[in-house]
Amino acid sequence: MSEPNEDFVSRVLAVVEEIPAGRVMSYGDVAAAIGSRAARGVGQVMAYYGGDVPWWRVVRASGHPAQNHESRALEYYRAESTPLTWSASGVFRVDLPRARWSPT
DNA sequence: TGGGTGACTAAGT
DNA sequence: CACTTAGCCACCC
C-alpha cells in the first residue's frame, strides 16, 4: 500500500502534514511511518523542505523541538495547547507520553 | 561515484 | 536528570 514511485522526501512531508494540531511525532516515528529508520534523513528533509509543513510538530525522541528552533516552536505549542513539560532550568519540552501521535 | 554534513537515536557515564 | 560517544540513514555538491 505504499507508493514506490514517491520519493523519500515526499513521504516524509506527507506524514508530517497528517499530524493534527496539539500532537507531535518524533523524527524516528516519521521515518518508521514510511518504513525507514532514517531519523536523521527526516531532519535533513525538514531543514530543506520543512518550510511548507508543520515542522514544529516533529520533535526529537527526548521531546525537545528541532535544535535551534525551540523558541519558534514554543509559540506554536502554546497556540495549539500542546502538552509541555518544564525542567528545573526552565527548559521546556513536549510531553511525548501525552502528545505523541501516530498515523492511522 | 564518492565524501562530508546533519532540525537524530540509543546507550553509557 | 543531564551530558558524552558511537552508530545510522538520507540528502547535497
Side-chain angles (χ1 to χ4, degrees), chain A residues 15 18-20 23-25 29 33 99-104:
Chain A
V15 174
E18 290 300 308
I19 305 175
R23 297 294 190 126
V24 299
M25 283 182 75
D29 284 355
R100 204 171 197 187
W101 178 85
S102 57
T104 50

Side-chain angles (χ1 to χ4, degrees), chain A residues 48-103:
Chain A
Y48 278 84
Y49 307 90
D52 293 311
V53 297
W55 55 265
W56 60 90
R57 291 179 190 162
V58 183
V59 299
R60 298 188 260 172
S62 306
H64 295 106
Q67 190 100 60
N68 269 107
H69 294 267
E70 327 165 359
S71 306
R72 290 232 191 103
L74 178 58
E75 300 297 298
Y76 290 105
Y77 295 146
R78 294 202 307 171
E80 299 182 357
S81 304
T82 305
L84 304 175
T85 71
W86 279 267
S87 295
S89 305
V91 181
F92 78 94
R93 70 169 139 175
V94 178
D95 191 347
L96 282 176
R98 288 192 184 192
R100 204 171 197 187
W101 178 85
S102 57

Side-chain angles (χ1 to χ4, degrees), chain A residues 2-26:
Chain A
S2 20
E3 297 293 317
N5 296 325
E6 292 273 337
D7 287 6
F8 182 86
V9 177
S10 299
R11 295 186 189 179
V12 172
L13 297 176
V15 174
V16 177
E17 287 188 15
E18 290 300 308
I19 305 175
R23 297 294 190 126
V24 299
M25 283 182 75
S26 69

